[in-house]
Amino acid sequence: MKQLAWFLKWALKAAIFFTLFAFALNNQHDATVRFFFGQQWTAPLVLVVLSAFALGLVIGVLGMVPRWWQHRRAAALARKESAAATSLTPTEKPSAPQQPPYGI
């Protein structure tokens, strides 16, 4: 069963690769990207599409960075508070494990 899953995973990767490779071969015509102030960039269409995808990926990751920092800061604060709470409480005999809520 593991070998079948491994084979299907590699078959999917190969299909994606060959689809993208065929896309690149079919889009080798030059495309011109015109920027502001009369500047322009002429490159194969597949390069223009790839660079637009990469730029979108970078912008998306940079847009997520502040939220990541906020969550890391909150997690560090929670860890610090948890460590402080456990060190301040006297060592007690652990209570009996709580019963899970209904049916779980």
Side-chain angles (χ1 to χ4, degrees):
M1 190 67 175
K2 269 187 172 179
Q3 289 180 342
L4 178 64
W6 178 84
F7 176 74
L8 288 175
K9 183 171 56 170
W10 276 103
L12 179 64
K13 287 179 183 180
I16 291 171
F17 171 77
F18 286 119
T19 301
L20 292 175
F21 188 68
F23 174 78
L25 288 178
N26 288 330
N27 292 296
Q28 290 183 356
H29 306 294
D30 283 343
T32 302
V33 179
R34 290 180 174 78
F35 299 105
F36 297 111
F37 307 114
Q39 293 186 347
Q40 61 186 15
W41 176 48
T42 303
L45 181 61
V46 69
L47 214 59
V48 172
V49 170
L50 181 64
S51 60
F53 175 74
L55 183 65
L57 194 67
V58 167
I59 290 172
V61 167
L62 289 177
M64 291 169 47
V65 166
R67 183 80 52 140
W68 284 341
W69 286 342
Q70 181 182 9
H71 285 289
R72 286 182 57 130
R73 200 174 317 119
L77 182 63
R79 248 181 287 160
K80 189 183 293 183
E81 287 176 357
S82 174
T86 57
S87 66
L88 291 179
T89 59
T91 57
E92 297 176 357
K93 184 178 174 183
S95 62
Q98 294 180 351
Q99 293 295 324
Y102 306 102
I104 295 179

